[in-house]
C-alpha cells in the first residue's frame, strides 16, 4: 500500500472510532441536552490544543455477548491539551458507548492519563458521564475503579484534580470525583448517586426520580459534593477555565500572577457593616472591596452559605478567602460550614495559596441537632486545618469574635501570622447578653428591677470586653485598624509573608478528625 493509502486508511479508521456509539446514540445524547464527549473536550480546551491517545483501544471482554460488541475507544477519550496556555491532562467518558460504563480497558485508559498527569505534574480534568462499573465485565470493572481511586488519592495534594459531572453518574463514577478537589455540575444534566432509582425501587420499593435523588441542585445545595453549579455545559466550561487561572499546575509552584488591579468597588468600605451589631450584611461586599478588580470567585456558593469561601487576587496573586457570612445563621460555624471551610483551607495549604480570614460570628451553632450530627468532630476540622496550614495566614476581625469562633477562625493561637481587628470588633467568650445572664445571675435575680439590672450588667460587660483593645493589649491582635486601611495592610502582610518558612516536626501524616 502506498503511503497515501495508509494515510487515507488511518483517517477512515479515526473517523469511525471518533463517532463513538454511532449517529443514533449521538442524536439521543443531544436530545437529552447533552454535548458529546469529544465536543466537550474541544469546547473546554484551547483551540487545536487537544491531542488524543489510545483512540484504537478495544475491550477484551467475552461474557454476556460482549464478544460481539465493538465499543469504540471503549467508551472514553483521553488526551492532553491546554487551557489559556496551561497544560492539562483530560479524560471524557462517552455515554453513547455502553453508557460510558467502565470496563478493564476503559479504566486502563483513564489510569494511563492519570499517571501521565502525576508524572508531568499538571492538572487532571475528568469529565464523567457513566453508569459506573460495566456490569458485564464483573470484577475487572471493580478492579478498574479501585485503580482509579488509588491514583486519585496518591495525586491528591500534588496536582489539582477537577471532576465534571455531565450525565447520570453512578457507583464508581461518583466516588472518583468525590476524591478530587473540585466537582462541577450542570443543572438538569448532572446526576450523582451510589445506586440509581431502579436499584432503590428493587431493594427498598421506593420510587424516586434521578433529579430528586442526586440532581445538580441536590449536590450543590444539600450534600456539598459539588463545588460549582452552572446553568449549561458551556457556562460550566467557562467556570473551569476561570478556576484554572487561579490555581498552580502542581504543589511545588505558585499560581500564575496577574497584573495587579485596584478594586472596582466604588462605595465606602465603612458603610458596609451596619452600626447595629445585630444587623446582618453580606460579607462578600467586604471581600469585593478588598480584592483586585473586585473579582471574587466563590466556591460552594449554595452549600452551607453561613461561610463563604473562594479565590480572589491580591496584587495579582491568588489568595484564598474564608469569611463568616452574617446574612445566614449570623455566620455561625456548624457541621457543614466547618467541613466546607476546613477542606478549602487544606486545599490552599497544599497548593501554596495564602489565606485571608474575615471574621464576624457568634461561635459554634448550639442545639441537639448539631451536637448529634457531630459538631464536635466537624468543628474540630477547622481547628486542625488552620493549625496545620503553613501558608501565610492573615485574619481580620470585622465585628463579632465570640468563644470557640474566635479561636477557630484563624486566631493568633492557631498560628495566624497577622491579626487585624476593626475598631468595632467584639472579642469575648460569648455575647454580652448571654455572658451577663450567667456571671451576674445572682445580682439580676436579687435586684428590685431585674430588667434594669440586666441592662446595666450587659453594658458593663460590653464596656469591659466587647471591643478589640483587651486582645490588642495582650498582643493577640497585632493592630486595630480603620476599615479603609484593610486592603493596603493585607497587601503588605502578603508581601512580607511571601518567603514564609514554617517547618513542622516530621510525621507520616496527621490524624485529622475526618
Ligand atoms: C453496563 C451499562 C451500565 C453499566 C448503563 N449501561 N449502565 N452497561 N454496565 N453499569 C448501558 C445500558 O445497558 C444502555 O445500553 C446504555 O448504557 C444507556 O443506559 P440506559 O439505562 O438506557 O440510560 P438511562 O435511562 O439514561 O440511565 C442511565 C443510568 C442507568 C441511570 C446510569 O443505566 C443505570 O442505573 N445504570 C446502572 C447504574 C449502577 O447501578 N451502576 C453501579 C455499578 S456498581 P444500550 O446498549 O441499551 O444502549 C459500581 C461499583 C463501584 O460502579 C463501587 C465504588 C465503591
Amino acid at each position: 500500500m502506498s503511503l497515501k493509502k495508509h494515510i487515507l486508511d488511518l483517517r477512515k479508521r479515526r473517523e469511525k472510532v471518533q463517532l463513538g456509539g454511532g449517529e443514533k446514540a449521538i442524536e439521543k445524547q443531544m436530545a437529552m441536552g447533552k454535548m458529546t464527549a469529544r465536543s466537550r473536550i474541544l469546547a473546554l480546551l484551547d483551540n487545536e490544543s487537544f491531542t488524543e491517545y489510545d483512540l484504537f483501544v478495544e475491550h477484551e471482554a467475552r461474557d454476556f455477548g460482549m464478544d460481539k460488541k465493538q465499543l469504540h475507544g471503549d467508551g472514553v477519550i483521553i488526551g492532553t491539551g491546554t487551557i489559556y496556555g496551561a497544560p492539562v491532562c483530560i479524560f471524557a467518558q462517552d455515554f453513547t458507548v455502553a453508557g460510558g460504563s467502565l470496563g478493564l480497558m476503559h479504566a486502563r485508559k483513564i489510569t494511563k492519563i492519570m499517571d501521565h498527569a502525576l508524572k508531568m505534574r499538571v492538572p487532571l480534568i475528568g469529565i464523567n458521564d457513566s453508569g459506573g462499573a460495566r456490569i458485564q465485565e464483573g470484577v475487572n470493572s471493580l478492579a478498574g475503579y479501585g485503580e482509579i481511586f488509588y491514583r486519585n488519592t496518591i495525586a491528591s495534594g500534588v496536582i489539582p484534580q477537577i471532576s465534571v459531572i455531565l450525565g447520570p453518574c453512578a457507583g464508581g463514577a461518583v466516588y472518583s470525583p468525590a476524591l478530587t478537589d473540585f466537582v462541577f455540575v450542570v443543572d438538569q444534566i448532572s446526576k450523582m448517586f451510589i445506586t440509581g432509582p431502579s436499584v432503590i425501587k428493587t431493594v427498598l420499593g421506593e420510587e424516586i426520580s434521578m433529579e430528586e435523588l442526586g440532581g445538580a441542585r441536590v449536590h450543590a445545595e444539600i450534600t456539598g459534593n459539588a463545588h460549582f453549579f452552572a446553568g449549561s455545559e458551556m457556562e460550566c466550561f467557562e467556570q473551569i477555565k476561570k478556576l484554572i487561572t487561579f490555581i498552580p499546575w502542581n504543589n511545588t509552584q505558585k499560581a500564575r500572577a496577574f497584573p495587579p488591579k485596584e478594586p472596582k468597588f466604588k462605595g465606602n468600605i465603612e458603610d458596609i457593616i451596619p452600626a447595629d451589631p445585630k444587623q446582618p450584611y453580606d460579607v462578600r461586599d467586604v471581600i469585593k472591596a478588598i480584592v483586585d478588580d473586585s473579582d471574587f470567585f466563590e466556591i460552594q456558593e449554595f452549600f452551607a452559605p453561613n461561610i463563604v469561601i473562594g479565590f480572589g487576587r491580591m496584587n495579582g496573586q491568588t489568595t484564598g478567602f474564608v469569611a463568616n457570612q452574617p446574612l445566614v445563621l449570623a455566620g455561625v460555624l456548624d457541621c457543614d460550614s466547618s467541613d466546607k471551610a476546613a477542606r478549602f483551607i487544606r486545599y490552599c495549604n497544599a497548593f501554596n495559596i495564602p489565606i485571608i480570614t474575615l471574621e464576624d460570628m457568634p461561635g459554634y451553632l448550639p442545639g441537639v441537632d448539631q451536637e448529634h450530627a457531630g459538631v464536635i468532630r466537624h468543628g474540630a476540622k477547622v481547628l486542625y486545618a488552620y493549625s496545620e496550614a503553613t501558608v501565610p495566614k492573615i485574619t481580620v476581625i470585622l465585628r463579632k469574635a465570640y468563644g470557640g469562633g474566635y479561636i477557630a477562625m484563624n486566631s493568633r493561637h492557631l498560628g495566624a501570622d497577622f491579626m487585624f481587628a476593626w475598631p468595632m470588633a467584639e472579642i469575648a467568650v460569648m455575647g454580652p447578653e448571654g455572658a451577663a445572664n450567667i456571671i451576674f445571675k445572682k445580682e439580676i435575680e436579687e435586684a428590685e428591677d431585674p430588667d434594669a439590672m440586666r441592662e446595666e450588667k450587659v453594658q458593663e460587660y460590653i464596656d469591659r470586653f466587647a471591643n478589640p483593645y483587651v486582645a490588642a493589649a495582650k498582643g493577640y491582635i497585632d493592630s486595630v485598624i480603620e476599615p479603609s486601611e484593610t486592603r493596603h495592610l493585607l497587601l503588605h502582610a502578603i508581601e512580607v509573608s511571601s518567603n514564609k518558612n514554617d517547618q513542622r516536626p516530621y510525621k507520616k501524616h496527621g490524624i485529622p478528625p475526618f
Side-chain angles (χ1 to χ4, degrees):
M1 214 164 31
S2 68
L3 176 60
K4 201 165 174 197
K5 276 194 174 159
H6 275 297
I7 290 172
L8 287 175
D9 176 56
L10 169 64
R11 285 183 190 165
K12 246 192 190 165
R13 284 169 187 265
R14 272 187 185 159
E15 262 172 40
K16 191 173 161 206
V17 178
Q18 284 176 351
L19 253 189
E23 270 160 17
K24 261 199 179 157
I26 291 175
E27 267 169 33
K28 198 174 158 198
Q29 171 93 346
M30 291 172 80
M32 288 190 280
K34 292 162 67 184
M35 295 168 71
T36 62
R38 191 165 297 278
S39 59
R40 285 166 173 165
I41 291 179
L42 297 180
L44 176 59
L45 300 185
D46 293 340
N47 260 348
E48 302 194 1
S49 74
F50 180 56
T51 305
E52 183 170 358
Y53 314 112
D54 283 356
L55 176 66
F56 299 117
V57 159
E58 292 189 12
H59 74 81
E60 294 164 358
R62 293 288 166 259
D63 297 323
F64 299 105
M66 287 296 285
D67 49 338
K68 293 182 198 72
K69 274 195 185 167
Q70 197 187 9
L71 303 180
H72 288 146
D74 206 28
V76 64
I77 302 171
I78 65 165
T80 48
T82 59
I83 291 180
Y84 295 131
V88 296
C89 287
I90 190 163
F91 71 84
Q93 292 177 309
D94 185 348
F95 196 81
T96 67
V97 179
S101 58
L102 181 136
L104 180 69
M105 298 310 287
H106 180 123
R108 281 210 187 137
K109 284 179 74 170
I110 293 180
T111 53
K112 181 190 267 190
I113 205 67
M114 292 178 87
D115 288 343
H116 203 67
L118 186 59
K119 263 191 252 164
M120 304 307 160
R121 296 288 197 269
V122 298
L124 173 76
I125 300 174
I127 300 180
N128 298 268
D129 189 358
S130 166
R134 187 174 296 151
I135 296 161
Q136 299 90 325
E137 294 201 35
V139 71
N140 268 339
S141 313
L142 301 179
Y145 267 124
E147 304 260 335
I148 291 171
F149 301 158
Y150 177 78
R151 282 165 176 80
N152 283 135
T153 307
I154 299 301
S156 179
V158 182
I159 51 168
Q161 297 184 79
I162 292 168
S163 295
V164 198
I165 309 293
L166 291 180
C169 290
V174 293
Y175 267 127
S176 171
L179 289 167
T180 63
D181 306 333
F182 298 106
V183 176
F184 290 74
V185 292
V186 175
D187 197 19
Q188 303 301 320
I189 288 178
S190 312
K191 324 270 187 259
M192 298 171 79
F193 33 76
I194 300 301
T195 45
S198 54
V199 178
I200 291 183
K201 194 169 175 204
T202 312
V203 179
L204 302 172
E206 289 170 13
E207 294 255 13
I208 186 159
S209 72
M210 276 204 248
E211 192 61 31
E212 281 176 291
L213 179 64
R217 281 185 194 280
V218 169
H219 292 297
E221 292 171 13
I222 300 171
T223 67
N225 285 332
H227 299 86
F228 295 94
F229 174 89
S232 68
E233 296 198 24
M234 291 310 281
E235 190 195 340
C236 171
F237 299 147
E238 287 309 312
Q239 291 174 340
I240 297 169
K241 286 185 195 175
K242 184 156 184 175
L243 175 67
I244 287 284
T245 69
F246 278 107
I247 57 179
W249 294 4
N250 60 57
N251 65 340
T252 64
Q253 298 187 356
K254 285 192 173 178
R256 194 181 133 202
F258 279 69
K261 279 186 180 170
E262 283 302 303
K264 276 190 209 144
F265 175 81
K266 286 282 171 274
N268 188 345
I269 190 170
E270 282 154 26
D271 296 337
I272 297 173
I273 300 197
D276 178 355
K278 290 198 179 101
Q279 286 299 310
Y281 61 92
D282 190 339
V283 76
R284 289 173 295 195
D285 291 339
V286 179
I287 299 174
K288 285 178 192 159
I290 292 171
V291 288
D292 286 15
D293 207 25
S294 298
D295 183 11
F296 177 55
F297 189 48
E298 189 168 352
I299 300 167
Q300 287 183 309
E301 184 180 348
F302 308 106
F303 173 67
N306 40 327
I307 204 147
V308 170
I309 58 170
F311 295 125
R313 292 195 181 87
M314 297 294 282
N315 226 358
Q317 274 186 49
T318 296
T319 305
F321 283 84
V322 180
N324 306 121
Q325 174 58 289
L327 269 188
V328 183
L329 291 171
V332 288
L333 278 174
D334 56 6
C335 295
D336 284 346
S337 64
S338 296
D339 270 7
K340 175 176 164 181
R343 194 166 184 279
F344 181 65
I345 293 160
R346 295 195 93 204
Y347 185 86
C348 291
N349 191 45
F351 289 100
N352 313 312
I353 296 170
I355 302 165
I356 290 177
T357 301
L358 302 179
E359 180 172 6
D360 184 352
M361 57 96 89
Y364 282 93
L365 182 61
V368 178
D369 287 352
Q370 282 295 307
E371 297 289 351
H372 289 191
V375 71
I376 297 174
R377 182 164 51 88
H378 293 293
K381 294 175 188 174
V382 181
L383 307 175
Y384 194 102
Y386 271 127
S387 302
E388 172 191 50
T390 56
V391 288
K393 300 184 291 190
I394 306 152
T395 298
V396 185
I397 300 177
L398 307 178
R399 200 166 60 171
K400 293 175 199 145
Y402 290 144
Y406 159 73
I407 308 170
M409 293 301 291
N410 192 39
S411 62
R412 159 67 20 86
H413 323 292
L414 301 188
D417 299 302
F418 297 99
M419 290 289 305
F420 300 115
W422 284 6
M424 59 281 211
E426 301 173 11
I427 304 169
V429 174
M430 63 174 73
E433 282 82 7
N437 278 337
I438 293 170
I439 57 179
F440 301 116
K441 189 172 175 229
K442 243 195 189 155
E443 287 95 323
I444 293 171
E445 274 174 6
E446 287 166 4
E448 262 176 41
D449 183 347
D451 287 343
M453 177 61 85
R454 182 178 296 111
E455 217 169 283
E456 187 189 317
K457 291 298 178 191
V458 166
Q459 194 54 49
E460 202 177 302
Y461 189 84
I462 290 173
D463 294 344
R464 176 74 187 98
F465 287 121
N467 63 66
Y469 299 106
V470 178
K474 306 260 180 276
Y476 298 151
I477 300 294
D478 299 312
S479 215
V480 182
I481 63 171
E482 294 186 29
S484 61
E485 295 171 315
T486 308
R487 174 170 158 90
H488 171 74
L489 290 170
L490 287 173
L491 291 180
H492 180 69
I494 288 176
E495 196 183 354
V496 169
S497 334
S498 63
N499 230 3
K500 182 178 172 187
N501 186 347
D502 190 1
Q503 299 292 332
R504 300 294 171 86
Y506 168 79
K507 55 178 150 180
K508 196 167 172 187
H509 59 70
I511 321 289
F514 277 171

